Amino acid sequence: MKKRLIALGLIVVMVFGGTQMAGATGLSEAKSKKSEAQSNLNSVQSQISSIEAQQADLQEQIDALDAELVEVIININTTKTDIENKKIELAQAQADLEVAKETEEEQYESMKERICYMYENGDSSFLTALMGADSFADVLNKLESYSTVYEYDRSLLVEYQNTKLEVENLVAQVEEEEAQLEEIQATYEEQQAELETMKAAKSSELEDFDAKLAEAESLAAQYEATIAEQNEIIAAAQAAAATTTVGSVTSGSSSVSTSSSSSSSSTSSDSSSSTSSDSSSSTSSSSSSSTSSSTASGSGSAVANYACQFIGNPYVYGGTSLTSGCDCSGFVMSVYAHFGVSLPHSSSALRSVGYAVSVSDMQPGDIVCYSGHVGIYVGNNTIVNASNSKPYPAGGIKYTSATYKSIIAVRRIF
């Protein structure tokens, strides 16, 4: 009978050990899958941050091209209007030229007729003037009248000729100005075509980034789902292991002999010791976490003042150095790291850190989040940020208007 009890106790111990081994294997596998999924998620989130930064840079380039394109189109329209006005001016000048030519021709013909008449009838006219004169002074007056008529015709012809020359010069000038305007218009149209080609290329590139971003976000969602699934498996395995341990120890104590009970008691003691150790480890971990949290100290104003010290330092995509170069999320991450706060290196992930505040309640030190970009509010509707785009200067850590584009979120740490 005693042998049967011992055998039964051994069977219980073997079953319990096998269950523990199976549970440990499942738990280890779940933890391994979770770790792998977390590593992949971190990599994808880094890709998302990179894509969003490149998207923001591309969008700003497209916006700049749009602004140039609008200016060129305005110049084209203005030049077209100037050309139309020049055409009207040229038509009027050409009409005036025709009138001047006709007037000159008429005056020339009239003068020729009078000159011809005076020469053809010159002798008798002079003789008549001399015979009919009452005095020498009268003779001079009559001869002077002939000369006056000639001089008048001559001066009038010269005047008409000068007028015609002026109008001809005006026509030439207007034609030259019209040609220059047409050349300017052609240049503007070339610029327009070039800008439209560049914009189309960058818009296509932006669409490619949209597709890449969607793919990366889909992968991130899958990895997050895997992590959540493995967390459930881990929790279930730990709960099952705890239940199995309690049930098996109780069964072994009631079924085996005193010696078996002692062994079972020893096992229970080991298990209790292990549990105590886990509890101690958990307490230590909690204490460590609390210590880490307690090292985070500062205020929004202190953060803003510290961040402004690095204005003028370079922008480096993917960088985290406040002196050698960083990108927008690397800048925010490194500034807050100085105050003991650990933040993600991702502009999208920074939208969920700390707690939300409204745009109207922004205070210095708040993290201001945009589509593909992030900065630190310093007051007076201004952020300090690491940016590789306009407004001037194009790249580096600098001040920018907080409302230079739509704000997605404002997060406060302190």
Side-chain angles (χ1 to χ4, degrees):
M1 182 65 180
K2 184 176 180 181
K3 290 181 179 180
R4 288 182 179 180
L5 290 174
I6 292 173
L8 181 59
L10 290 174
I11 291 171
V12 170
V13 170
M14 290 176 64
V15 170
F16 169 63
T19 303
Q20 281 189 321
M21 289 178 62
T25 301
L27 184 61
S28 175
E29 184 178 352
K31 286 182 177 180
S32 176
K33 288 182 178 179
K34 176 186 174 181
S35 177
E36 181 182 358
Q38 185 63 58
S39 176
N40 290 334
L41 178 60
N42 292 340
S43 175
V44 171
Q45 285 177 334
S46 178
Q47 291 176 21
I48 290 173
S49 177
S50 170
I51 291 170
E52 287 177 337
Q54 292 177 76
Q55 276 183 313
D57 186 51
L58 263 179
Q59 187 59 59
E60 290 183 357
Q61 291 180 42
I62 290 172
D63 291 343
L65 287 173
D66 270 333
E68 289 184 50
L69 194 54
V70 167
E71 185 177 352
V72 168
I73 291 172
I74 290 172
N75 290 335
I76 288 174
N77 292 334
T78 301
T79 305
K80 284 182 178 178
T81 301
D82 291 343
I83 289 173
E84 291 302 317
N85 291 335
K86 283 297 174 186
K87 288 183 182 296
I88 295 171
E89 187 178 344
L90 179 60
Q92 182 61 51
Q94 289 172 335
D96 292 342
L97 179 60
E98 291 302 318
V99 172
K101 286 180 178 179
E102 290 176 5
T103 303
E104 181 207 20
E105 188 67 27
E106 289 173 0
Q107 176 60 21
Y108 180 63
E109 292 299 326
S110 296
M111 188 182 75
K112 284 198 303 182
E113 289 179 3
R114 278 192 286 273
I115 291 173
C116 183
Y117 175 79
M118 284 190 291
Y119 275 103
E120 287 177 354
N121 300 281
D123 292 338
S124 60
S125 297
F126 282 114
L127 182 61
T128 301
L130 290 171
M131 294 298 293
D134 296 332
S135 63
F136 184 70
D138 189 26
V139 171
L140 291 177
N141 287 336
K142 290 182 180 295
L143 290 175
E144 185 179 359
S145 67
Y146 281 102
S147 177
T148 300
V149 170
Y150 171 75
E151 288 299 329
Y152 172 76
D153 283 341
R154 183 174 175 278
S155 65
L156 205 59
L157 179 61
V158 171
E159 179 183 346
Y160 289 151
Q161 286 175 337
N162 289 338
T163 300
K164 186 188 75 170
L165 181 60
E166 289 176 3
V167 176
E168 285 177 341
N169 290 337
L170 176 61
V171 169
Q173 178 184 340
V174 174
E175 286 176 341
E176 182 179 355
E177 290 173 352
E178 181 184 8
Q180 289 175 348
L181 287 170
E182 288 174 346
E183 183 178 350
I184 291 171
Q185 180 182 355
T187 301
Y188 282 141
E189 287 174 347
E190 287 178 5
Q191 290 179 6
Q192 180 183 4
E194 182 180 353
L195 288 170
E196 287 175 344
T197 300
M198 291 172 63
K199 180 184 174 183
K202 291 189 179 297
S203 296
S204 176
E205 191 176 349
L206 188 61
E207 289 177 0
D208 291 341
F209 278 119
D210 287 339
K212 290 178 181 178
L213 180 61
E215 182 181 354
E217 287 176 340
S218 175
L219 279 174
Q222 293 176 29
Y223 291 135
E224 287 171 349
T226 299
I227 291 170
E229 180 183 351
Q230 298 309 314
N231 280 335
E232 291 178 0
I233 293 172
I234 291 168
Q238 289 174 338
T243 302
T244 302
T245 300
V246 173
S248 298
V249 169
T250 303
S251 174
S253 296
S254 61
S255 301
V256 298
S257 63
T258 304
S259 62
S260 295
S261 294
S262 175
S263 173
S264 185
S265 175
S266 174
T267 301
S268 177
S269 176
D270 290 344
S271 176
S272 176
S273 175
S274 174
T275 303
S276 175
S277 174
D278 290 343
S279 174
S280 175
S281 174
S282 175
T283 301
S284 174
S285 176
S286 175
S287 174
S288 174
S289 176
S290 175
T291 302
S292 176
S293 176
S294 68
T295 59
S297 61
S299 66
S301 296
V303 170
N305 291 335
Y306 180 72
C308 292
Q309 297 179 23
F310 303 99
I311 289 174
N313 289 341
Y315 175 94
V316 174
Y317 177 71
T320 58
S321 172
L322 296 173
T323 54
S324 301
C326 56
D327 58 16
C328 64
S329 57
F331 173 68
V332 174
M333 181 186 76
S334 297
V335 167
Y336 268 95
H338 177 75
F339 295 90
V341 178
S342 178
L343 295 178
H345 190 184
S346 165
S347 59
S348 58
L350 286 169
R351 298 173 196 167
S352 58
V353 301
Y355 60 94
V357 295
S358 65
V359 174
S360 60
D361 290 334
M362 284 193 299
Q363 295 180 4
D366 288 348
I367 300 172
V368 185
C369 304
Y370 310 88
S371 175
H373 191 59
V374 67
I376 296 174
Y377 189 67
V378 295
N380 296 325
N381 193 43
T382 302
I383 61 169
V384 60
N385 63 136
S387 172
N388 195 33
S389 55
K390 294 179 180 179
Y392 180 86
I397 299 172
K398 59 187 177 181
Y399 290 121
T400 302
S401 169
T403 52
Y404 85 102
K405 67 176 182 176
S406 298
I407 296 174
I408 293 177
V410 180
R411 310 298 297 187
R412 184 168 296 164
I413 304 299
F414 296 125

